[in-house]
Amino acid sequence: MSTAFSGDETAPFFGFLGAAAALVFSCMGAAYGTAKSGVGVASMGVMRPELVMKSIVPVVMAGVLGIYGLIIAVIISTGINPKAKSYYLFDGYAHLSSGLACGLAGLSAGMAIGIVGDAGVRANAQQPKLFVGMILILIFAEALALYGLIVGIILSSRAGQSRAD
């Protein structure tokens, strides 16, 4: 029984695991950040309803984290086609590490954005001068996920370089 499969038969498992990890962990971070910040916005909106739209910034920033995971998941999944090109364990591990780098960075950034967003919008309702400081902290938290995205892209690009076919 001959198949057109070339490479290691278990390698795609690790690649698909990387794609799933990128999406799942990034979305967990996005969900936590959105929920935690949303609670702060709702609580603050009772006292100062005119600031609700201005306070949506942490929720939007948390939502972007899921997009980072989606980007890496699509990059990884399009790179897994063992019938077209040999797919070895090196490639699977490269995709797994790519997904974990982006996913876990997105999860940690989402936690930071949620905590800062919750406390920040409540504090902004009491002292409007804190808004710029809150935005700067949120930007630095978002940058953590961006670092994971960049490293994920670099690691994913390493797949396919294990052997000269």
Side-chain angles (χ1 to χ4, degrees), residues 3-159:
T3 61
F5 188 89
S6 62
D8 296 314
E9 290 189 6
T10 57
F13 169 77
F14 294 105
F16 288 123
L17 189 61
L23 189 63
V24 168
F25 289 136
S26 291
C27 286
M28 285 174 62
Y32 181 83
T34 300
K36 187 92 167 132
S37 297
V39 167
V41 170
S43 175
M44 180 275 311
V46 173
M47 298 181 294
R48 303 277 305 271
E50 69 276 7
L51 294 177
V52 169
M53 290 309 290
K54 187 177 180 183
S55 299
I56 294 294
V57 174
V59 174
V60 173
M61 291 181 81
V64 171
L65 301 176
I67 296 171
Y68 292 168
L70 177 65
I71 290 168
I72 290 295
V74 168
I75 289 172
I76 290 172
S77 63
T78 57
I80 303 172
N81 189 0
K83 295 195 180 205
K85 185 178 181 221
S86 297
Y87 194 80
Y88 298 105
L89 282 173
F90 178 89
D91 307 323
Y93 295 151
H95 284 148
L96 176 62
S97 63
S98 171
L100 286 174
C102 180
L104 293 176
L107 177 61
S108 61
M111 293 177 73
I113 288 171
I115 293 167
V116 170
D118 181 26
V121 296
R122 292 175 196 236
N124 184 49
Q126 296 176 356
Q127 177 54 263
K129 292 180 182 178
L130 295 175
F131 184 74
V132 174
M134 178 189 72
I135 295 297
L136 286 173
I137 295 168
L138 289 170
I139 289 170
F140 286 120
E142 184 84 21
L144 299 174
L146 190 59
Y147 301 154
L149 175 68
I150 293 167
V151 169
I153 290 171
I154 292 168
L155 289 171
S156 180
S157 69
R158 295 290 309 206

